[in-house]
Amino acid sequence: MYKDKDPRADLFAAASTPPATGLIAEEQLALFHATDPQEQGQGWKSWYHRGHNFVLAYSEAEPGAVFPRNAQPDEYVVYLPDAAKGAVIEAGGERVEVPGFSIAFVPPGDSRITLPAGGVLVRLFTVRSADLAEAASNARGYDAPRSHIPPFAAWPEPKGGFRIRHYSLDVPAEPGRFGRIFRCTTFMVNVFEPQNGPRDTSKMSPHHHDDFEQCSLTLKGSFVHHLRWPWTVDMADWREDRHIEVGSPSSLVIPPPVIHTTRATDAGDNHLVDIFCPPRMDFSLKPGWVLNAEDYPLPQG
């Protein structure tokens, strides 16, 4: 998951803006493995967890399960973590068979996902999907606005217009590239190489974000999320350090400007995915980091 030198180091070093005060900066945790689903139907069950701008839907399904969306207001993400469990996605007059261990982007409007072999399905929606935001286990967690997080704004439409696009995650690691990053108009997703065994405690990567959240989704193994709140001039912003132990599957939304780093702890494979909504500009400007950058233009100006 992390090599000898973390390629984000130069980005971290540049993040030196003093933290704002008057923050509402509480982490949002969902332990899917230890809680009942928010919704279930014939052959499937789903957990929903929200951030400021997005909703994560984690689903476990039996063969043949169907997940429709009607009048979806914007593009959403489908992540299929199991190489043996693909999906059939129908949207915009297309019907596409998407292999397992892929990420797909589904256009606005009506759509339908079928899992012929069942398995795990992860979907990512913006909070414009108000029904899903309201269904989240932490639906009330954002009733008080985060004034230091800008409101969501979609990035430019993809070249050639909206359609079902999918990309294999079977991408070999390269020196200097950070994970396997894909973006669309609404999200950026970084699927890390599995970490086999515990992470080296001498090679951690504490950092913070000034004005956007990070969602860390764990799908296999166990982790400890280490969080440190900055000392602003207002002691009301201060918190004790937190060291949150999680199993799989689970999701943690880390607020800005909390300093954070995550350590894999299981003796076997540890699978972590980082999620950002909207996409990150700093990662997008790193040559070669975003693997589907040719399909999704950067904002202008």
Side-chain angles (χ1 to χ4, degrees), residues 1-283:
M1 187 186 302
Y2 300 98
K3 304 305 181 185
D4 290 343
K5 182 180 185 300
D6 191 319
R8 295 173 295 177
D10 56 339
L11 299 177
F12 300 163
S16 58
T17 302
T21 60
L23 304 179
I24 302 169
E26 301 296 337
E27 82 283 0
Q28 300 289 314
L29 176 65
L31 301 175
F32 306 139
H33 63 88
T35 56
D36 293 331
Q38 278 71 58
E39 191 176 20
Q40 53 190 324
Q42 184 64 41
W44 59 269
K45 49 189 176 180
S46 294
W47 291 257
Y48 302 106
H49 187 218
R50 69 160 294 179
H52 185 264
N53 292 331
F54 68 92
V55 182
L56 186 156
Y58 172 87
S59 303
E60 296 176 353
E62 297 175 6
V66 177
F67 297 84
R69 288 296 294 171
N70 296 320
Q72 174 63 27
D74 48 16
E75 194 173 32
Y76 70 95
V77 179
V78 170
Y79 172 49
L80 302 168
D82 188 338
K85 306 285 178 71
V88 175
I89 302 178
E90 300 169 82
E94 293 184 287
R95 181 184 184 277
V96 178
E97 295 184 8
V98 179
F101 200 49
S102 295
I103 190 167
F105 302 123
V106 183
D110 296 346
S111 60
R112 175 184 172 97
I113 300 169
T114 304
L115 301 182
V120 168
L121 169 67
V122 177
R123 291 167 296 158
L124 303 172
F125 303 89
T126 74
V127 289
R128 293 185 66 195
S129 295
D131 59 323
L132 301 182
E134 189 59 31
S137 59
N138 63 330
R140 303 277 67 81
Y142 291 84
D143 285 353
R146 269 55 162 177
S147 59
H148 57 299
I149 301 177
F152 172 79
W155 280 28
E157 291 189 10
K159 294 179 181 178
F162 286 111
R163 61 179 175 81
I164 300 168
R165 289 176 163 82
H166 65 92
Y167 308 90
S168 172
L169 296 168
D170 188 12
V171 179
E174 291 183 8
R177 196 189 74 219
F178 183 56
R180 291 167 288 191
I181 301 174
F182 297 86
R183 71 167 183 253
C184 64
T185 60
T186 50
F187 284 89
M188 174 175 282
V189 180
N190 189 359
V191 181
F192 292 100
E193 295 282 346
Q195 168 79 43
N196 184 257
R199 185 177 180 182
D200 187 341
T201 57
S202 70
K203 297 177 180 177
M204 304 302 289
S205 55
H207 63 287
H208 79 277
H209 311 300
D210 287 331
D211 60 1
F212 61 87
E213 293 177 324
Q214 173 179 311
C215 177
S216 289
L217 169 67
T218 67
L219 292 173
K220 190 174 183 180
S222 57
F223 295 82
V224 178
H225 298 289
H226 303 279
L227 308 181
R228 171 165 288 182
W229 272 251
W231 285 10
T232 72
V233 297
D234 184 352
M235 288 184 69
D237 294 332
W238 298 10
R239 306 285 189 276
E240 295 294 328
D241 289 354
R242 295 178 189 171
H243 308 279
I244 302 171
E245 298 183 21
V246 301
S248 299
S250 62
S251 171
L252 179 72
V253 181
I254 302 167
V258 172
I259 300 164
H260 58 278
T261 189
T262 295
R263 181 175 184 253
T265 57
D266 194 270
D269 280 346
N270 298 276
H271 183 184
L272 183 72
V273 179
D274 279 351
I275 297 159
F276 305 95
C277 177
R280 291 179 62 161
M281 181 60 76
D282 56 350
F283 280 11

